[in-house]
Amino acid sequence: MRERKPSEAIAPLRAFVKAAPDRLVGAYLLARALEETQKRDEARTLYGQVVAKNPNHAGASIGVERTTNTTPAKRLAAANGLIKKIEGSAAPSELGEAQTLRGEALLALGQTADALEALMRAAAASPTDPSTQLALTEAMIGEGRPGEALARLRALDPLTLATPLGRLALGAALTSVGQLAEANAQIEAAATQIPKDPRVALWLGVAAESKRPHDDATAMRKYKEALAIDARFLPAALRLAALLQRQGKANEALTLIKDAEAGGAPPEALSVVWGQALIEAKNPAQAEVVLRKAIAKSPALVAARTALASALDASGKAAEAQEELGRAIIELPKATGLRERLAALYAKHGKKEEALATLEKERTAGNKSPGLRVQIAKLALALGQSERAVKELESVASEDPATPEALFTLGRAREATGDSSRALSEYKRSLAFESSPELHLAYGRLLAQTGRDEEALSELEAAGEIASARLERARIRLKRNETDEALKEAEAAIRISSSDGRAHFLAGICLDLMGRADDAAMAWRKALDATPDLAEAHYRLGRYEMDKGRQPSALAHFRDATDKPLPKVTWEADLYFQLGFAEAAAGARPNAIIALRRYLELSATDAPARPEAERLLARLTKR
């Protein structure tokens, strides 16, 4: 049992119980082993036998409640009664188990702030208990603190993380921060040992939903698998309801919600989930109605307050959303995460200074967590305060380099200061602690900028199926004249995100280089449908239309290209050359003169086209 091998403990424990039926320790340990191998009914029977002989046996009393399938409200009442009964006499680990039972019940009731407090006590009393760590992870994810949950798990005893529940906790945290490859590996490993635990199927479903693009079919199948294992497993029912609502199957979703309520799920918690599902289904006005009713019944329900703010924001009522979170901060001073939510809302609407000030207030109030300091640094970086960000992040990384996003953001901050060498070093160091698509993308992009193409391609491949990574790979392939491979990468980016104008544009460049001008023009038109301000697509289409003899269309594209702010680009001089000739052909003499003079300013003195431009300019300016 100490080695976390409960299945191997069962046979000798059965022999012990048979040989010494009056020794309660044998029956209790056998019940624990059976419970950990998912033989819950037999475990509950044994726990009950121990309690019948010794009503004061804390561990067995907790075991009975833990293996009894009941409503969250009844479990909370039982946990509170057990804590009151055993406090002062039970071992710290037993008290920790009772607090875990209480925390899980509070979590199911939607009272995440109270659940978090109970589970933090449980983890302090029994830090190696995997079930506690899993519940605590889920509570922290529910409070919007998945990065902090992951950092806590990474610091645990490896033996705890090697247990099925430890792996499941790690998988849940990794899923919530987007590290899906490692997350799936951990959850699948847990599935081989605890296949009948509905939480395994739940988190595999969440991981499928988190993919880009979403794998809703797999997610739905996994949620149904979880419910087949336990028809009253509320998290899976609520996830499935939200997914159905998003797919426009409102009646099916509502039926699930009503079934969950009939099964004993708390109405307020269901209202929160239903409200969140309505937000995701683009019906924030109805979500607002549902959530206000939930808050009227339970004003201290933090999840309802934050969900209402999301609904208001989704309805275009950003100011009201901010006011709602501000009131919640005042009315619920013990609640965690509210200022962080308010800061995120400020940042979303471009109020980065207010967001930073809000996080600084949270720090002043006593929250000095590494995660909060990383968020402060990220906002400082967004405000152009890169040196401040570097200083903050250096401090965090020196205290705990495993803090999620600390080293990654430090790399970004160093990159912003122009220190590419140290930025590369921070990105590489960060990979020892985390492996997000964004990290691999940033590292790969910077490797490409410094000429390390092979390493860049490898990192960008590790970024997975995100359009930006495929586009970066396409650019590297183009630079190396590997046009066919570049086109494949661009087409992969389009499949991932068909609304990404850059992907269509780059596909057009590849097609043009391959001599497929008409296909290239079609790709550039799709690029402009998605991103109308893409100046180079206008320029390329203008050239194409000029080649086809369609000067009015070409002129419109050239004018559109010059209307956009242009960074330093190699084709700007040619754009003004083409524009000058197109304006002249259209009889727009003043415009042609302006364009040709701009071309002469931009072009090299030995540019082959200069003489032609100078001759046309001379004719146009001749009185």
Side-chain angles (χ1 to χ4, degrees):
M1 292 292 283
R2 279 199 304 270
E3 292 175 0
R4 310 287 187 182
K5 298 175 182 177
S7 59
E8 295 179 29
I10 290 174
L13 285 169
R14 285 194 192 281
F16 180 88
V17 170
K18 185 177 180 180
D22 293 331
R23 297 283 301 279
L24 296 185
V25 64
Y28 173 68
L29 286 174
L30 178 56
R32 288 300 298 255
L34 290 165
E35 182 186 356
E36 290 183 29
T37 53
Q38 297 191 295
K39 298 178 175 67
R40 293 169 61 85
D41 291 340
E42 190 180 353
R44 184 168 58 255
T45 299
L46 277 170
Y47 283 136
Q49 291 172 3
V50 173
V51 172
K53 293 178 180 179
N54 179 4
N56 294 319
H57 196 296
S61 300
I62 296 165
V64 169
E65 295 300 335
R66 196 169 50 228
T67 54
T68 298
N69 193 8
T70 186
T71 65
K74 288 180 179 178
R75 177 159 290 173
L76 178 60
N80 286 335
L82 280 170
I83 291 169
K84 186 176 180 180
K85 178 181 177 182
I86 67 175
E87 209 163 19
S89 61
S93 60
E94 291 173 327
L95 195 55
E97 288 179 5
Q99 287 287 3
T100 298
L101 197 66
R102 179 171 181 269
E104 288 172 335
L106 288 165
L107 199 57
L109 290 165
Q111 299 176 34
T112 52
D114 291 337
L116 197 56
E117 183 181 355
L119 291 164
M120 289 294 279
R121 289 181 186 175
S126 186
T128 61
D129 181 41
S131 61
T132 300
Q133 295 300 334
L134 176 56
L136 179 55
T137 297
E138 291 177 336
M140 294 183 84
I141 291 169
E143 282 287 279
R145 297 159 60 182
E148 193 177 334
L150 181 58
R152 287 190 78 268
L153 290 169
R154 295 283 198 199
L156 287 179
D157 169 20
L159 275 177
T160 301
L161 287 181
T163 63
L165 294 184
R167 288 185 182 280
L168 192 52
L170 187 55
L174 288 163
T175 298
S176 299
V177 299
Q179 297 181 34
L180 300 181
E182 188 183 351
N184 274 307
Q186 293 291 343
I187 301 169
E188 293 286 4
T192 62
Q193 297 171 283
I194 48 171
K196 295 180 181 179
D197 191 317
R199 290 170 296 188
V200 171
L202 169 74
W203 282 105
L204 286 172
V206 176
E209 270 196 277
S210 303
K211 285 182 179 178
R212 295 292 182 270
H214 303 305
D215 185 356
D216 286 350
T218 297
M220 187 172 291
R221 187 173 70 254
K222 291 298 175 183
Y223 297 148
K224 287 180 178 178
E225 284 177 16
L227 291 169
I229 294 168
D230 181 356
R232 297 175 66 181
F233 185 49
L234 184 59
L238 298 181
R239 282 275 183 178
L240 181 55
L243 183 54
L244 288 166
Q245 178 68 31
R246 242 186 3 256
Q247 293 179 343
K249 300 174 182 177
N251 290 335
E252 292 180 52
L254 191 55
T255 297
L256 268 173
I257 294 290
K258 288 179 177 177
D259 288 347
E261 187 169 3
E268 291 84 358
L270 290 173
S271 295
V272 172
V273 174
W274 185 237
Q276 291 168 333
L278 288 165
I279 294 168
E280 290 185 32
K282 312 298 183 189
N283 190 355
Q286 184 59 34
E288 184 181 344
V289 173
V290 169
L291 292 164
R292 286 196 186 281
K293 287 180 181 178
I295 291 168
K297 292 180 181 178
S298 302
L301 196 57
V302 177
R305 305 294 290 267
T306 57
L308 176 57
S310 297
L312 291 165
D313 186 48
S315 294
K317 304 173 184 176
E320 289 184 45
Q322 292 159 16
E323 289 171 7
E324 173 60 33
L325 287 174
R327 280 194 298 273
I329 289 168
I330 295 169
E331 294 169 14
L332 308 172
K334 292 184 179 180
T336 59
L338 287 172
R339 283 197 182 90
E340 289 95 319
R341 299 284 181 106
L342 179 57
L345 194 57
Y346 278 139
K348 177 184 175 182
H349 292 285
K351 298 181 177 180
K352 294 184 176 64
E353 291 87 354
E354 290 92 333
L356 185 56
T358 301
L359 292 182
E360 288 290 8
K361 283 182 182 177
E362 178 70 8
R363 173 151 57 181
T364 302
N367 182 355
K368 294 181 172 56
S369 70
L372 177 72
R373 292 157 64 193
V374 170
Q375 294 306 310
I376 288 171
K378 288 171 76 173
L379 276 169
L381 186 58
L383 287 165
Q385 301 170 18
S386 50
E387 294 294 347
R388 177 182 176 182
V390 167
K391 185 176 179 181
E392 186 80 61
L393 292 161
E394 282 179 335
S395 174
V396 174
S398 66
E399 293 170 19
D400 184 5
T403 300
E405 292 194 277
L407 292 171
F408 171 34
T409 311
L410 180 55
R412 289 178 51 222
R414 294 203 188 282
E415 199 174 344
T417 64
D419 192 347
S420 296
S421 177
R422 293 181 75 183
L424 284 170
S425 177
E426 301 299 359
Y427 289 147
K428 186 174 182 179
R429 194 157 64 116
S430 182
L431 286 169
F433 301 101
E434 55 186 308
S435 179
S436 68
E438 293 75 18
L439 170 57
H440 286 291
L441 173 60
Y443 190 26
R445 183 181 283 146
L446 189 53
L447 285 167
Q449 290 172 12
T450 54
R452 295 160 63 177
D453 287 353
E454 287 301 326
E455 293 174 79
L457 287 170
S458 177
E459 288 301 324
L460 293 166
E461 182 68 30
E465 292 303 298
I466 56 176
S468 294
R470 290 298 172 192
L471 282 175
E472 291 297 330
R473 285 176 63 84
R475 291 189 180 101
I476 294 171
R477 296 294 190 189
L478 267 181
K479 185 173 66 174
R480 290 158 51 138
N481 296 317
E482 298 170 359
T483 311
D484 289 347
E485 293 302 314
L487 179 58
K488 289 177 184 177
E489 295 287 0
E491 288 174 339
I494 291 168
R495 286 194 296 273
I496 296 166
S497 178
S498 61
S499 62
D500 192 328
R502 300 167 306 158
H504 290 288
F505 172 75
L506 206 56
I509 294 292
C510 296
L511 291 164
D512 193 38
L513 289 170
M514 296 165 75
R516 297 165 58 183
D518 292 343
D519 291 336
M522 187 181 299
W524 291 329
R525 289 190 179 99
K526 288 180 180 178
L528 289 173
D529 287 341
T531 313
D533 291 339
L534 202 55
E536 191 173 357
H538 283 295
Y539 162 66
R540 297 279 180 176
L541 276 171
R543 291 293 306 263
Y544 172 79
E545 294 295 317
M546 284 286 278
D547 290 344
K548 294 291 184 181
R550 297 192 285 258
Q551 288 189 341
S553 177
L555 179 57
H557 281 297
F558 289 142
R559 284 176 175 173
D560 280 339
T562 57
D563 282 345
K564 312 296 183 282
L566 293 178
K568 189 175 181 180
V569 291
T570 57
W571 47 269
E572 186 177 9
D574 185 64
L575 167 62
Y576 282 98
F577 178 86
Q578 301 291 340
L579 177 60
F581 276 79
E583 295 281 13
R589 180 173 165 273
N591 291 348
I593 291 170
I594 292 170
L596 290 167
R597 283 176 174 165
R598 180 61 178 153
Y599 163 72
L600 293 172
E601 289 173 10
L602 293 168
S603 63
T605 54
D606 58 349
R610 277 187 76 94
E612 188 179 359
E614 288 168 346
R615 284 193 295 272
L616 178 57
L617 183 60
R619 286 200 303 272
L620 292 171
T621 54
K622 186 177 179 180
R623 294 185 180 275

